[in-house]
Amino acid sequence: MKVAVFSTKPYDREFLEAANVNHGHELVFLEGRLNLEHSILAKDFPAVCTFVNDELNAKTLNLIAENGTRLIALRCAGFNQVDLKTAKELGLTVVRVPAYSPYAVAEHTITLILSLNRKIHRAYNRVREGNFALEGLLGFDLHGRTVGIVGTGKIGMITAHILKGFGCKLLGYDLYPNSECQEMGMQYVSLPELLAASDIISLHCPLTRDSYHLINNETIDHMKHGVMLINTSRGALVDTNAVIRGLKSGKIGYLALDVYEQESDLFFEDLSNEVIQDDVFQRLQTFPNVLITAHQAFFTENALRNIAETTLTNISDFAQGRNCANVVTI
Ligand code: NAD
């Protein structure tokens, strides 16, 4: 099948080309995102392949459907960037990669918790500059701390498993409690209870209409003073201005983000020679107790191999009229 692969980086190309040896699709790699402006590039491609920050809103979908596209193959698990209602009306099939390596994201979450707690981001720079003082680097034992996991699906559950190994007490909040989490000793509570009792809160639920700005002024008020907040899920789960207020008051003692609501203007690009225009993001960077990575939680060899293989299998299933388990439905 002829596929326009948008938002391609060299690493995407490497893994997709390797996997395509077994599929034989005609892959055309494009660096730009699929959005309204670039939608003409999809003309005459029956399939487009996109990533987390492509903008598949109603206007873009209408244009690509008019120009012959029938399949949208997402190289990611989340599908909040697609107007699914419009896609359905236009007869566009949307497929995704529901799980490529939940371990990659869970392990990155743990990396952020440990780095923030022991201030590795600061210690690294100090030691390189010959500053071997310890003031300001005081951490705490994770053992015995209470961690609240919001969203206990694949990634939340693995994160909980690892934290259990550290001797943490686990609280969970999910619309559908996970029996494996309960078996490992996680206690399910309401969201306000989780927020009030947790020393560390880690977000692992999808971005939906219900979870938009789940972390806001009101929910931050419920939290313990000095709480650690980790978001490796989706940026818009968090109201960034509310979090900045929380950081300024000390209510939030530690913040790590791998995702950011306005990340599409920043992440995945080298902007080191440019003036960053996002003042909210720049304010976040001024706090010593904030650690930001640029949506890299998924970024392991295992995950890229699985993403490439599942994406091409999804496209092959569609091309050959087979049932595909990874179709996204409303
Ligand atoms: P999953 O579907 O296995 O689990 C999500 C869980 O969240 C489910 O148990 C669901 O019931 C629960 N949930 C849904 N709405 C909720 C709400 N409002 N409140 C509480 N819980 C809710 O998904 P997963 O594979 O564990 O992935 C979780 C999220 O991680 C994805 O939605 C995606 O946004 C994010 N993600 C980030 C990266 C990254 O690189 N940073 C990579 C992959 C996935």
Side-chain angles (χ1 to χ4, degrees), residues 9 26 58 109 139 177 196 207 272 276-277 280 282-283 307 318-319:
K9 297 289 179 194
E26 189 186 329
T109 303
L207 175 62
S272 54
I276 304 286
Q277 299 296 329
V280 175
Q282 292 303 78
R283 180 67 179 103
I307 289 172
F318 180 84

Side-chain angles (χ1 to χ4, degrees), residues 141-156:
D141 288 4
L142 272 183
H143 184 90
R145 295 287 170 147
T146 300
V147 185
I149 307 277
V150 179
T152 56
K154 291 178 283 297
I155 295 170

Side-chain angles (χ1 to χ4, degrees), residues 195-265:
L195 299 175
S198 299
D199 300 301
I200 300 171
I201 297 168
S202 193
L203 307 179
H204 299 288
C205 61
L207 175 62
T208 61
R209 217 172 288 165
D210 290 340
S211 63
Y212 175 77
H213 284 189
L214 185 86
I215 302 300
N216 54 45
N217 283 321
E218 197 190 325
T219 48
I220 290 170
D221 273 350
H222 286 292
M223 296 177 190
K224 274 191 182 178
H225 191 82
V227 67
M228 180 186 288
L229 177 66
I230 312 284
N231 185 10
T232 58
S233 196
R234 281 292 177 269
L237 293 176
V238 168
D239 174 349
T240 313
N241 284 309
V243 158
I244 288 174
R245 274 191 288 279
L247 284 162
K248 285 170 77 175
S249 71
K251 183 83 171 174
I252 297 177
Y254 308 78
L255 174 73
L257 302 176
D258 185 55
V259 286
Y260 169 61
E261 186 165 6
Q262 310 302 335
E263 69 177 50
S264 61
D265 295 333

Side-chain angles (χ1 to χ4, degrees), residues 18-60:
N20 198 32
V21 169
N22 299 323
H23 292 271
H25 295 295
E26 189 186 329
L27 304 180
V28 176
F29 294 100
L30 302 157
E31 281 181 32
R33 285 191 198 136
L34 178 52
N35 54 21
L36 191 58
E37 190 188 347
H38 295 151
S39 57
I40 189 66
L41 297 174
K43 190 168 169 14
D44 299 331
F45 282 91
V48 295
C49 180
T50 62
F51 195 47
V52 289
N53 290 326
D54 295 270
E55 294 161 26
L56 296 148
N57 55 26
K59 282 187 180 165
T60 307

Side-chain angles (χ1 to χ4, degrees), residues 77-305:
F79 44 84
N80 52 283
Q81 70 279 34
V82 188
D83 181 339
L84 288 177
K85 188 169 166 280
T86 305
K88 189 177 177 194
E89 284 162 10
L90 293 167
L92 287 163
T93 300
V94 181
V95 290
R96 67 174 180 138
V97 184
Y100 37 89
S101 175
Y103 299 99
V105 183
E107 289 171 14
H108 192 72
T109 303
I110 303 298
T111 305
L112 293 174
I113 292 173
L114 292 173
S115 303
L116 256 185
N117 173 22
R118 306 306 292 267
K119 286 118 177 133
I120 300 301
H121 54 305
R122 304 189 69 201
Y124 172 80
N125 287 321
R126 277 194 194 184
V127 171
R128 282 177 73 91
E129 287 172 15
N131 175 357
F132 305 112
L134 297 183
E135 282 86 352
L137 301 183
L138 192 65
F140 58 83
D141 288 4
L142 272 183
H143 184 90
R145 295 287 170 147
T146 300
V147 185
I149 307 277
V150 179
T152 56
K154 291 178 283 297
I155 295 170
M157 184 179 73
I158 293 165
T159 305
H161 259 297
I162 301 172
L163 289 165
K164 186 176 161 59
F166 279 102
C168 295
K169 182 180 172 202
L170 300 169
L171 297 180
Y173 169 71
D174 196 303
L175 310 175
Y176 306 97
N178 177 335
S179 57
E180 265 192 69
C181 287
Q182 284 168 319
E183 277 159 29
M184 77 171 95
M186 179 182 282
Q187 189 190 345
Y188 279 92
V189 292
S190 68
L191 184 61
E193 282 173 308
L194 180 146
L195 299 175
S198 299
D199 300 301
I200 300 171
I201 297 168
S202 193
L203 307 179
H204 299 288
C205 61
L207 175 62
T208 61
R209 217 172 288 165
D210 290 340
S211 63
Y212 175 77
H213 284 189
L214 185 86
I215 302 300
N216 54 45
N217 283 321
E218 197 190 325
T219 48
I220 290 170
D221 273 350
H222 286 292
M223 296 177 190
K224 274 191 182 178
H225 191 82
V227 67
M228 180 186 288
L229 177 66
I230 312 284
N231 185 10
T232 58
S233 196
R234 281 292 177 269
L237 293 176
V238 168
D239 174 349
T240 313
N241 284 309
V243 158
I244 288 174
R245 274 191 288 279
L247 284 162
K248 285 170 77 175
S249 71
K251 183 83 171 174
I252 297 177
Y254 308 78
L255 174 73
L257 302 176
D258 185 55
V259 286
Y260 169 61
E261 186 165 6
Q262 310 302 335
E263 69 177 50
S264 61
D265 295 333
L266 302 169
F267 289 4
F268 306 123
E269 304 304 329
D270 178 2
L271 304 180
S272 54
N273 289 317
E274 296 187 21
V275 175
I276 304 286
Q277 299 296 329
D278 184 331
D279 294 346
V280 175
F281 186 78
Q282 292 303 78
R283 180 67 179 103
L284 273 181
Q285 299 263 56
T286 65
F287 295 95
N289 50 351
V290 171
L291 178 52
I292 304 176
T293 52
H295 209 139
Q296 74 171 84
F298 75 100
F299 199 56
T300 66
E301 289 170 9
N302 314 59
L304 289 192
R305 204 171 299 121

